[in-house]
PDB file of all heavy atoms in Angstrom:
ATOM      1  N   ASP W   1       0.804  -1.228   0.000  1.00 96.00           N
ATOM      2  CA  ASP W   1       0.000   0.000   0.000  1.00 96.00           C
ATOM      3  C   ASP W   1       0.833   1.273   0.000  1.00 96.00           C
ATOM      4  O   ASP W   1       0.276   2.371   0.155  1.00 96.00           O
ATOM      5  CB  ASP W   1      -0.924   0.006   1.223  1.00 96.00           C
ATOM      6  CG  ASP W   1      -1.975  -1.094   1.168  1.00 96.00           C
ATOM      7  OD1 ASP W   1      -2.489  -1.350   0.070  1.00 96.00           O
ATOM      8  OD2 ASP W   1      -2.264  -1.679   2.232  1.00 96.00           O
ATOM      9  N   PHE W   2       2.143   1.148  -0.162  1.00 97.00           N
ATOM     10  CA  PHE W   2       3.016   2.321  -0.025  1.00 97.00           C
ATOM     11  C   PHE W   2       3.439   2.935  -1.357  1.00 97.00           C
ATOM     12  O   PHE W   2       4.292   3.812  -1.381  1.00 97.00           O
ATOM     13  CB  PHE W   2       4.238   1.962   0.814  1.00 97.00           C
ATOM     14  CG  PHE W   2       3.938   1.818   2.282  1.00 97.00           C
ATOM     15  CD1 PHE W   2       3.562   0.594   2.805  1.00 97.00           C
ATOM     16  CD2 PHE W   2       3.986   2.920   3.124  1.00 97.00           C
ATOM     17  CE1 PHE W   2       3.261   0.456   4.148  1.00 97.00           C
ATOM     18  CE2 PHE W   2       3.687   2.788   4.472  1.00 97.00           C
ATOM     19  CZ  PHE W   2       3.313   1.553   4.987  1.00 97.00           C
ATOM     20  N   GLY W   3       2.843   2.506  -2.453  1.00 94.00           N
ATOM     21  CA  GLY W   3       3.074   3.164  -3.725  1.00 94.00           C
ATOM     22  C   GLY W   3       4.155   2.513  -4.574  1.00 94.00           C
ATOM     23  O   GLY W   3       4.967   1.709  -4.088  1.00 94.00           O
ATOM     24  N   PRO W   4       4.208   2.881  -5.859  1.00 95.00           N
ATOM     25  CA  PRO W   4       5.122   2.225  -6.807  1.00 95.00           C
ATOM     26  C   PRO W   4       6.593   2.546  -6.585  1.00 95.00           C
ATOM     27  O   PRO W   4       7.456   1.827  -7.083  1.00 95.00           O
ATOM     28  CB  PRO W   4       4.653   2.759  -8.162  1.00 95.00           C
ATOM     29  CG  PRO W   4       3.996   4.086  -7.847  1.00 95.00           C
ATOM     30  CD  PRO W   4       3.351   3.897  -6.517  1.00 95.00           C
ATOM     31  N   HIS W   5       6.893   3.626  -5.860  1.00 96.00           N
ATOM     32  CA  HIS W   5       8.292   4.001  -5.646  1.00 96.00           C
ATOM     33  C   HIS W   5       8.887   3.386  -4.377  1.00 96.00           C
ATOM     34  O   HIS W   5      10.081   3.554  -4.124  1.00 96.00           O
ATOM     35  CB  HIS W   5       8.414   5.527  -5.538  1.00 96.00           C
ATOM     36  CG  HIS W   5       8.048   6.258  -6.788  1.00 96.00           C
ATOM     37  ND1 HIS W   5       8.883   6.346  -7.879  1.00 96.00           N
ATOM     38  CD2 HIS W   5       6.927   6.952  -7.112  1.00 96.00           C
ATOM     39  CE1 HIS W   5       8.300   7.063  -8.827  1.00 96.00           C
ATOM     40  NE2 HIS W   5       7.117   7.441  -8.389  1.00 96.00           N
ATOM     41  N   ALA W   6       8.064   2.717  -3.576  1.00 97.00           N
ATOM     42  CA  ALA W   6       8.505   2.317  -2.244  1.00 97.00           C
ATOM     43  C   ALA W   6       9.715   1.393  -2.281  1.00 97.00           C
ATOM     44  O   ALA W   6      10.696   1.602  -1.552  1.00 97.00           O
ATOM     45  CB  ALA W   6       7.348   1.662  -1.486  1.00 97.00           C
ATOM     46  N   ALA W   7       9.669   0.356  -3.099  1.00 97.00           N
ATOM     47  CA  ALA W   7      10.781  -0.599  -3.126  1.00 97.00           C
ATOM     48  C   ALA W   7      12.074   0.073  -3.573  1.00 97.00           C
ATOM     49  O   ALA W   7      13.144  -0.140  -2.980  1.00 97.00           O
ATOM     50  CB  ALA W   7      10.445  -1.776  -4.046  1.00 97.00           C
ATOM     51  N   GLY W   8      11.994   0.925  -4.606  1.00 97.00           N
ATOM     52  CA  GLY W   8      13.181   1.639  -5.054  1.00 97.00           C
ATOM     53  C   GLY W   8      13.706   2.586  -3.992  1.00 97.00           C
ATOM     54  O   GLY W   8      14.922   2.737  -3.818  1.00 97.00           O
ATOM     55  N   ASP W   9      12.790   3.229  -3.266  1.00 97.00           N
ATOM     56  CA  ASP W   9      13.199   4.110  -2.177  1.00 97.00           C
ATOM     57  C   ASP W   9      13.997   3.352  -1.123  1.00 97.00           C
ATOM     58  O   ASP W   9      15.033   3.831  -0.635  1.00 97.00           O
ATOM     59  CB  ASP W   9      11.957   4.717  -1.514  1.00 97.00           C
ATOM     60  CG  ASP W   9      11.644   6.101  -2.047  1.00 97.00           C
ATOM     61  OD1 ASP W   9      12.373   6.576  -2.927  1.00 97.00           O
ATOM     62  OD2 ASP W   9      10.672   6.711  -1.580  1.00 97.00           O
ATOM     63  N   LEU W  10      13.517   2.172  -0.755  1.00 98.00           N
ATOM     64  CA  LEU W  10      14.180   1.433   0.308  1.00 98.00           C
ATOM     65  C   LEU W  10      15.512   0.846  -0.164  1.00 98.00           C
ATOM     66  O   LEU W  10      16.456   0.747   0.627  1.00 98.00           O
ATOM     67  CB  LEU W  10      13.262   0.334   0.841  1.00 98.00           C
ATOM     68  CG  LEU W  10      12.006   0.852   1.558  1.00 98.00           C
ATOM     69  CD1 LEU W  10      11.310  -0.272   2.314  1.00 98.00           C
ATOM     70  CD2 LEU W  10      12.315   1.977   2.511  1.00 98.00           C
ATOM     71  N   ARG W  11      15.611   0.448  -1.433  1.00 98.00           N
ATOM     72  CA  ARG W  11      16.925   0.013  -1.948  1.00 98.00           C
ATOM     73  C   ARG W  11      17.927   1.162  -1.836  1.00 98.00           C
ATOM     74  O   ARG W  11      19.073   0.962  -1.418  1.00 98.00           O
ATOM     75  CB  ARG W  11      16.802  -0.424  -3.403  1.00 98.00           C
ATOM     76  CG  ARG W  11      16.066  -1.724  -3.607  1.00 98.00           C
ATOM     77  CD  ARG W  11      16.195  -2.206  -5.053  1.00 98.00           C
ATOM     78  NE  ARG W  11      15.153  -3.169  -5.334  1.00 98.00           N
ATOM     79  CZ  ARG W  11      13.989  -2.878  -5.907  1.00 98.00           C
ATOM     80  NH1 ARG W  11      13.738  -1.629  -6.293  1.00 98.00           N
ATOM     81  NH2 ARG W  11      13.090  -3.816  -6.101  1.00 98.00           N
ATOM     82  N   ARG W  12      17.483   2.339  -2.233  1.00 97.00           N
ATOM     83  CA  ARG W  12      18.360   3.514  -2.152  1.00 97.00           C
ATOM     84  C   ARG W  12      18.715   3.820  -0.703  1.00 97.00           C
ATOM     85  O   ARG W  12      19.880   4.074  -0.375  1.00 97.00           O
ATOM     86  CB  ARG W  12      17.662   4.714  -2.802  1.00 97.00           C
ATOM     87  CG  ARG W  12      18.369   6.055  -2.612  1.00 97.00           C
ATOM     88  CD  ARG W  12      17.551   7.166  -3.251  1.00 97.00           C
ATOM     89  NE  ARG W  12      18.126   8.489  -2.996  1.00 97.00           N
ATOM     90  CZ  ARG W  12      17.854   9.229  -1.931  1.00 97.00           C
ATOM     91  NH1 ARG W  12      17.009   8.776  -1.007  1.00 97.00           N
ATOM     92  NH2 ARG W  12      18.411  10.421  -1.782  1.00 97.00           N
ATOM     93  N   HIS W  13      17.723   3.826   0.170  1.00 98.00           N
ATOM     94  CA  HIS W  13      17.970   4.183   1.559  1.00 98.00           C
ATOM     95  C   HIS W  13      18.882   3.177   2.242  1.00 98.00           C
ATOM     96  O   HIS W  13      19.692   3.547   3.102  1.00 98.00           O
ATOM     97  CB  HIS W  13      16.641   4.294   2.318  1.00 98.00           C
ATOM     98  CG  HIS W  13      16.683   5.231   3.476  1.00 98.00           C
ATOM     99  ND1 HIS W  13      17.142   4.865   4.713  1.00 98.00           N
ATOM    100  CD2 HIS W  13      16.362   6.553   3.586  1.00 98.00           C
ATOM    101  CE1 HIS W  13      17.079   5.896   5.536  1.00 98.00           C
ATOM    102  NE2 HIS W  13      16.610   6.933   4.878  1.00 98.00           N
ATOM    103  N   ASP W  14      18.785   1.942   1.848  1.00 97.00           N
ATOM    104  CA  ASP W  14      19.650   0.910   2.422  1.00 97.00           C
ATOM    105  C   ASP W  14      21.122   1.176   2.140  1.00 97.00           C
ATOM    106  O   ASP W  14      21.991   0.757   2.901  1.00 97.00           O
ATOM    107  CB  ASP W  14      19.239  -0.462   1.858  1.00 97.00           C
ATOM    108  CG  ASP W  14      20.127  -1.584   2.340  1.00 97.00           C
ATOM    109  OD1 ASP W  14      20.046  -1.926   3.534  1.00 97.00           O
ATOM    110  OD2 ASP W  14      20.920  -2.100   1.519  1.00 97.00           O
ATOM    111  N   ARG W  15      21.392   1.906   1.046  1.00 97.00           N
ATOM    112  CA  ARG W  15      22.780   2.183   0.667  1.00 97.00           C
ATOM    113  C   ARG W  15      23.315   3.493   1.237  1.00 97.00           C
ATOM    114  O   ARG W  15      24.501   3.788   1.076  1.00 97.00           O
ATOM    115  CB  ARG W  15      22.898   2.228  -0.865  1.00 97.00           C
ATOM    116  CG  ARG W  15      22.562   0.914  -1.564  1.00 97.00           C
ATOM    117  CD  ARG W  15      22.937   0.964  -3.037  1.00 97.00           C
ATOM    118  NE  ARG W  15      22.177   1.973  -3.759  1.00 97.00           N
ATOM    119  CZ  ARG W  15      21.028   1.735  -4.392  1.00 97.00           C
ATOM    120  NH1 ARG W  15      20.504   0.507  -4.366  1.00 97.00           N
ATOM    121  NH2 ARG W  15      20.394   2.693  -5.042  1.00 97.00           N
ATOM    122  N   LEU W  16      22.468   4.303   1.864  1.00 97.00           N
ATOM    123  CA  LEU W  16      22.905   5.604   2.352  1.00 97.00           C
ATOM    124  C   LEU W  16      23.859   5.467   3.532  1.00 97.00           C
ATOM    125  O   LEU W  16      23.690   4.592   4.393  1.00 97.00           O
ATOM    126  CB  LEU W  16      21.708   6.453   2.784  1.00 97.00           C
ATOM    127  CG  LEU W  16      20.689   6.833   1.711  1.00 97.00           C
ATOM    128  CD1 LEU W  16      19.623   7.739   2.304  1.00 97.00           C
ATOM    129  CD2 LEU W  16      21.354   7.504   0.515  1.00 97.00           C
ATOM    130  N   ALA W  17      24.844   6.332   3.553  1.00 95.00           N
ATOM    131  CA  ALA W  17      25.711   6.402   4.727  1.00 95.00           C
ATOM    132  C   ALA W  17      24.880   6.841   5.929  1.00 95.00           C
ATOM    133  O   ALA W  17      24.002   7.701   5.811  1.00 95.00           O
ATOM    134  CB  ALA W  17      26.850   7.394   4.485  1.00 95.00           C
ATOM    135  N   ASN W  18      25.130   6.247   7.067  1.00 96.00           N
ATOM    136  CA  ASN W  18      24.513   6.624   8.335  1.00 96.00           C
ATOM    137  C   ASN W  18      23.024   6.309   8.414  1.00 96.00           C
ATOM    138  O   ASN W  18      22.326   6.848   9.284  1.00 96.00           O
ATOM    139  CB  ASN W  18      24.736   8.112   8.634  1.00 96.00           C
ATOM    140  CG  ASN W  18      26.204   8.466   8.721  1.00 96.00           C
ATOM    141  OD1 ASN W  18      26.954   7.864   9.465  1.00 96.00           O
ATOM    142  ND2 ASN W  18      26.619   9.450   7.916  1.00 96.00           N
ATOM    143  N   THR W  19      22.518   5.447   7.535  1.00 97.00           N
ATOM    144  CA  THR W  19      21.155   4.983   7.747  1.00 97.00           C
ATOM    145  C   THR W  19      21.125   4.086   8.973  1.00 97.00           C
ATOM    146  O   THR W  19      22.160   3.652   9.477  1.00 97.00           O
ATOM    147  CB  THR W  19      20.623   4.230   6.523  1.00 97.00           C
ATOM    148  OG1 THR W  19      19.220   4.006   6.694  1.00 97.00           O
ATOM    149  CG2 THR W  19      21.309   2.881   6.343  1.00 97.00           C
ATOM    150  N   GLY W  20      19.942   3.825   9.492  1.00 97.00           N
ATOM    151  CA  GLY W  20      19.849   3.043  10.716  1.00 97.00           C
ATOM    152  C   GLY W  20      20.152   1.566  10.498  1.00 97.00           C
ATOM    153  O   GLY W  20      20.042   1.040   9.385  1.00 97.00           O
ATOM    154  N   ASP W  21      20.532   0.897  11.585  1.00 98.00           N
ATOM    155  CA  ASP W  21      20.627  -0.564  11.522  1.00 98.00           C
ATOM    156  C   ASP W  21      19.248  -1.139  11.239  1.00 98.00           C
ATOM    157  O   ASP W  21      19.118  -2.145  10.527  1.00 98.00           O
ATOM    158  CB  ASP W  21      21.172  -1.111  12.846  1.00 98.00           C
ATOM    159  CG  ASP W  21      22.599  -0.638  13.106  1.00 98.00           C
ATOM    160  OD1 ASP W  21      23.405  -0.620  12.157  1.00 98.00           O
ATOM    161  OD2 ASP W  21      22.908  -0.268  14.253  1.00 98.00           O
ATOM    162  N   LEU W  22      18.237  -0.510  11.798  1.00 98.00           N
ATOM    163  CA  LEU W  22      16.847  -0.789  11.457  1.00 98.00           C
ATOM    164  C   LEU W  22      16.199   0.507  11.006  1.00 98.00           C
ATOM    165  O   LEU W  22      16.416   1.566  11.601  1.00 98.00           O
ATOM    166  CB  LEU W  22      16.079  -1.330  12.670  1.00 98.00           C
ATOM    167  CG  LEU W  22      16.503  -2.687  13.230  1.00 98.00           C
ATOM    168  CD1 LEU W  22      15.713  -2.998  14.496  1.00 98.00           C
ATOM    169  CD2 LEU W  22      16.298  -3.784  12.200  1.00 98.00           C
ATOM    170  N   VAL W  23      15.417   0.431   9.943  1.00 98.00           N
ATOM    171  CA  VAL W  23      14.642   1.566   9.458  1.00 98.00           C
ATOM    172  C   VAL W  23      13.173   1.188   9.606  1.00 98.00           C
ATOM    173  O   VAL W  23      12.747   0.154   9.077  1.00 98.00           O
ATOM    174  CB  VAL W  23      14.968   1.905   7.995  1.00 98.00           C
ATOM    175  CG1 VAL W  23      14.146   3.096   7.514  1.00 98.00           C
ATOM    176  CG2 VAL W  23      16.461   2.178   7.818  1.00 98.00           C
ATOM    177  N   VAL W  24      12.420   1.987  10.337  1.00 98.00           N
ATOM    178  CA  VAL W  24      11.046   1.636  10.692  1.00 98.00           C
ATOM    179  C   VAL W  24      10.098   2.719  10.205  1.00 98.00           C
ATOM    180  O   VAL W  24      10.338   3.911  10.424  1.00 98.00           O
ATOM    181  CB  VAL W  24      10.900   1.464  12.222  1.00 98.00           C
ATOM    182  CG1 VAL W  24       9.484   1.012  12.579  1.00 98.00           C
ATOM    183  CG2 VAL W  24      11.935   0.483  12.757  1.00 98.00           C
ATOM    184  N   ASN W  25       9.019   2.303   9.555  1.00 98.00           N
ATOM    185  CA  ASN W  25       7.981   3.225   9.090  1.00 98.00           C
ATOM    186  C   ASN W  25       6.679   2.902   9.804  1.00 98.00           C
ATOM    187  O   ASN W  25       6.361   1.735  10.048  1.00 98.00           O
ATOM    188  CB  ASN W  25       7.767   3.083   7.582  1.00 98.00           C
ATOM    189  CG  ASN W  25       7.077   4.289   6.957  1.00 98.00           C
ATOM    190  OD1 ASN W  25       7.738   5.208   6.500  1.00 98.00           O
ATOM    191  ND2 ASN W  25       5.746   4.286   6.917  1.00 98.00           N
ATOM    192  N   SER W  26       5.915   3.924  10.122  1.00 98.00           N
ATOM    193  CA  SER W  26       4.644   3.703  10.813  1.00 98.00           C
ATOM    194  C   SER W  26       3.627   3.064   9.874  1.00 98.00           C
ATOM    195  O   SER W  26       3.852   2.898   8.675  1.00 98.00           O
ATOM    196  CB  SER W  26       4.087   5.029  11.331  1.00 98.00           C
ATOM    197  OG  SER W  26       3.354   5.708  10.317  1.00 98.00           O
ATOM    198  N   LEU W  27       2.476   2.773  10.436  1.00 98.00           N
ATOM    199  CA  LEU W  27       1.363   2.303   9.608  1.00 98.00           C
ATOM    200  C   LEU W  27       0.968   3.365   8.593  1.00 98.00           C
ATOM    201  O   LEU W  27       1.200   4.559   8.783  1.00 98.00           O
ATOM    202  CB  LEU W  27       0.157   1.966  10.496  1.00 98.00           C
ATOM    203  CG  LEU W  27      -0.543   3.118  11.239  1.00 98.00           C
ATOM    204  CD1 LEU W  27      -1.588   3.841  10.377  1.00 98.00           C
ATOM    205  CD2 LEU W  27      -1.219   2.610  12.493  1.00 98.00           C
ATOM    206  N   TRP W  28       0.362   2.930   7.505  1.00 97.00           N
ATOM    207  CA  TRP W  28      -0.316   3.809   6.557  1.00 97.00           C
ATOM    208  C   TRP W  28      -1.638   3.150   6.229  1.00 97.00           C
ATOM    209  O   TRP W  28      -1.677   2.025   5.731  1.00 97.00           O
ATOM    210  CB  TRP W  28       0.508   4.028   5.294  1.00 97.00           C
ATOM    211  CG  TRP W  28      -0.279   4.406   4.070  1.00 97.00           C
ATOM    212  CD1 TRP W  28      -0.436   3.684   2.926  1.00 97.00           C
ATOM    213  CD2 TRP W  28      -1.037   5.603   3.873  1.00 97.00           C
ATOM    214  NE1 TRP W  28      -1.240   4.346   2.022  1.00 97.00           N
ATOM    215  CE2 TRP W  28      -1.621   5.528   2.590  1.00 97.00           C
ATOM    216  CE3 TRP W  28      -1.289   6.724   4.654  1.00 97.00           C
ATOM    217  CZ2 TRP W  28      -2.433   6.537   2.069  1.00 97.00           C
ATOM    218  CZ3 TRP W  28      -2.093   7.730   4.140  1.00 97.00           C
ATOM    219  CH2 TRP W  28      -2.653   7.642   2.860  1.00 97.00           C
ATOM    220  N   ASP W  29      -2.734   3.831   6.563  1.00 96.00           N
ATOM    221  CA  ASP W  29      -4.069   3.294   6.331  1.00 96.00           C
ATOM    222  C   ASP W  29      -4.633   3.929   5.069  1.00 96.00           C
ATOM    223  O   ASP W  29      -5.003   5.108   5.080  1.00 96.00           O
ATOM    224  CB  ASP W  29      -4.978   3.593   7.523  1.00 96.00           C
ATOM    225  CG  ASP W  29      -6.322   2.895   7.423  1.00 96.00           C
ATOM    226  OD1 ASP W  29      -6.793   2.662   6.296  1.00 96.00           O
ATOM    227  OD2 ASP W  29      -6.916   2.582   8.480  1.00 96.00           O
ATOM    228  N   PRO W  30      -4.701   3.177   3.966  1.00 95.00           N
ATOM    229  CA  PRO W  30      -5.188   3.772   2.721  1.00 95.00           C
ATOM    230  C   PRO W  30      -6.671   4.123   2.750  1.00 95.00           C
ATOM    231  O   PRO W  30      -7.144   4.870   1.896  1.00 95.00           O
ATOM    232  CB  PRO W  30      -4.890   2.685   1.680  1.00 95.00           C
ATOM    233  CG  PRO W  30      -4.826   1.415   2.457  1.00 95.00           C
ATOM    234  CD  PRO W  30      -4.305   1.770   3.806  1.00 95.00           C
ATOM    235  N   VAL W  31      -7.407   3.609   3.736  1.00 95.00           N
ATOM    236  CA  VAL W  31      -8.831   3.931   3.846  1.00 95.00           C
ATOM    237  C   VAL W  31      -9.012   5.280   4.545  1.00 95.00           C
ATOM    238  O   VAL W  31      -9.681   6.187   4.030  1.00 95.00           O
ATOM    239  CB  VAL W  31      -9.588   2.819   4.600  1.00 95.00           C
ATOM    240  CG1 VAL W  31     -11.059   3.213   4.772  1.00 95.00           C
ATOM    241  CG2 VAL W  31      -9.472   1.492   3.849  1.00 95.00           C
ATOM    242  N   THR W  32      -8.418   5.431   5.717  1.00 95.00           N
ATOM    243  CA  THR W  32      -8.531   6.699   6.449  1.00 95.00           C
ATOM    244  C   THR W  32      -7.509   7.726   5.992  1.00 95.00           C
ATOM    245  O   THR W  32      -7.596   8.897   6.377  1.00 95.00           O
ATOM    246  CB  THR W  32      -8.343   6.467   7.955  1.00 95.00           C
ATOM    247  OG1 THR W  32      -7.003   5.988   8.200  1.00 95.00           O
ATOM    248  CG2 THR W  32      -9.350   5.446   8.475  1.00 95.00           C
ATOM    249  N   GLN W  33      -6.516   7.281   5.182  1.00 95.00           N
ATOM    250  CA  GLN W  33      -5.452   8.168   4.700  1.00 95.00           C
ATOM    251  C   GLN W  33      -4.630   8.728   5.857  1.00 95.00           C
ATOM    252  O   GLN W  33      -4.219   9.888   5.834  1.00 95.00           O
ATOM    253  CB  GLN W  33      -6.034   9.321   3.879  1.00 95.00           C
ATOM    254  CG  GLN W  33      -6.812   8.871   2.649  1.00 95.00           C
ATOM    255  CD  GLN W  33      -5.902   8.518   1.480  1.00 95.00           C
ATOM    256  OE1 GLN W  33      -5.204   9.364   0.944  1.00 95.00           O
ATOM    257  NE2 GLN W  33      -5.921   7.258   1.074  1.00 95.00           N
ATOM    258  N   GLU W  34      -4.363   7.898   6.868  1.00 98.00           N
ATOM    259  CA  GLU W  34      -3.639   8.364   8.038  1.00 98.00           C
ATOM    260  C   GLU W  34      -2.364   7.565   8.276  1.00 98.00           C
ATOM    261  O   GLU W  34      -2.268   6.387   7.918  1.00 98.00           O
ATOM    262  CB  GLU W  34      -4.524   8.279   9.294  1.00 98.00           C
ATOM    263  CG  GLU W  34      -5.625   9.315   9.330  1.00 98.00           C
ATOM    264  CD  GLU W  34      -6.260   9.441  10.703  1.00 98.00           C
ATOM    265  OE1 GLU W  34      -5.848   8.710  11.629  1.00 98.00           O
ATOM    266  OE2 GLU W  34      -7.163  10.279  10.861  1.00 98.00           O
ATOM    267  N   VAL W  35      -1.390   8.240   8.894  1.00 98.00           N
ATOM    268  CA  VAL W  35      -0.163   7.622   9.382  1.00 98.00           C
ATOM    269  C   VAL W  35      -0.131   7.808  10.899  1.00 98.00           C
ATOM    270  O   VAL W  35      -1.060   8.360  11.485  1.00 98.00           O
ATOM    271  CB  VAL W  35       1.084   8.250   8.723  1.00 98.00           C
ATOM    272  CG1 VAL W  35       1.088   8.013   7.222  1.00 98.00           C
ATOM    273  CG2 VAL W  35       1.167   9.746   9.034  1.00 98.00           C
ATOM    274  N   ALA W  36       0.938   7.346  11.535  1.00 98.00           N
ATOM    275  CA  ALA W  36       1.072   7.486  12.993  1.00 98.00           C
ATOM    276  C   ALA W  36       2.486   7.958  13.303  1.00 98.00           C
ATOM    277  O   ALA W  36       3.408   7.154  13.406  1.00 98.00           O
ATOM    278  CB  ALA W  36       0.783   6.157  13.686  1.00 98.00           C
ATOM    279  N   ALA W  37       2.644   9.265  13.455  1.00 98.00           N
ATOM    280  CA  ALA W  37       3.974   9.836  13.662  1.00 98.00           C
ATOM    281  C   ALA W  37       4.581   9.347  14.967  1.00 98.00           C
ATOM    282  O   ALA W  37       3.894   9.180  15.975  1.00 98.00           O
ATOM    283  CB  ALA W  37       3.901  11.357  13.659  1.00 98.00           C
ATOM    284  N   PHE W  38       5.901   9.134  14.941  1.00 98.00           N
ATOM    285  CA  PHE W  38       6.635   8.762  16.147  1.00 98.00           C
ATOM    286  C   PHE W  38       6.983   9.991  16.986  1.00 98.00           C
ATOM    287  O   PHE W  38       7.455   9.856  18.113  1.00 98.00           O
ATOM    288  CB  PHE W  38       7.906   8.001  15.768  1.00 98.00           C
ATOM    289  CG  PHE W  38       7.632   6.751  14.979  1.00 98.00           C
ATOM    290  CD1 PHE W  38       8.335   6.475  13.815  1.00 98.00           C
ATOM    291  CD2 PHE W  38       6.671   5.848  15.398  1.00 98.00           C
ATOM    292  CE1 PHE W  38       8.081   5.326  13.085  1.00 98.00           C
ATOM    293  CE2 PHE W  38       6.415   4.692  14.680  1.00 98.00           C
ATOM    294  CZ  PHE W  38       7.117   4.433  13.516  1.00 98.00           C
ATOM    295  N   GLU W  39       6.767  11.172  16.431  1.00 96.00           N
ATOM    296  CA  GLU W  39       6.854  12.424  17.179  1.00 96.00           C
ATOM    297  C   GLU W  39       5.443  12.893  17.484  1.00 96.00           C
ATOM    298  O   GLU W  39       4.479  12.431  16.876  1.00 96.00           O
ATOM    299  CB  GLU W  39       7.580  13.495  16.357  1.00 96.00           C
ATOM    300  CG  GLU W  39       8.974  13.122  15.918  1.00 96.00           C
ATOM    301  CD  GLU W  39       9.577  14.195  15.041  1.00 96.00           C
ATOM    302  OE1 GLU W  39       9.283  14.215  13.837  1.00 96.00           O
ATOM    303  OE2 GLU W  39      10.325  15.026  15.575  1.00 96.00           O
ATOM    304  N   GLU W  40       5.303  13.836  18.409  1.00 96.00           N
ATOM    305  CA  GLU W  40       3.977  14.316  18.774  1.00 96.00           C
ATOM    306  C   GLU W  40       3.528  15.431  17.839  1.00 96.00           C
ATOM    307  O   GLU W  40       3.421  16.601  18.209  1.00 96.00           O
ATOM    308  CB  GLU W  40       3.955  14.751  20.240  1.00 96.00           C
ATOM    309  CG  GLU W  40       4.038  13.595  21.207  1.00 96.00           C
ATOM    310  CD  GLU W  40       2.987  12.518  20.923  1.00 96.00           C
ATOM    311  OE1 GLU W  40       1.787  12.816  21.020  1.00 96.00           O
ATOM    312  OE2 GLU W  40       3.382  11.385  20.561  1.00 96.00           O
TER     313      GLU W  40
END
């Protein structure tokens, strides 16, 4: 549900210097069109 660019984005991000050991994205609800920010 994250769009046609998502896989390419993550391949690119995996190669970036200083990316996280784990990269975590919140939920995306395509019905309500909402995400859940890890910041307030």
Side-chain angles (χ1 to χ4, degrees):
D1 294 321
F2 286 90
H5 296 283
D9 263 1
L10 294 192
R11 289 190 199 96
R12 171 182 175 272
H13 207 276
D14 177 70
R15 297 190 297 268
L16 297 183
N18 300 306
T19 190
D21 296 319
L22 295 175
V23 180
V24 184
N25 199 92
S26 84
L27 67 84
W28 156 245
D29 188 330
V31 177
T32 64
Q33 300 280 296
E34 288 194 359
V35 297
F38 301 132
E39 302 176 278
E40 289 308 297

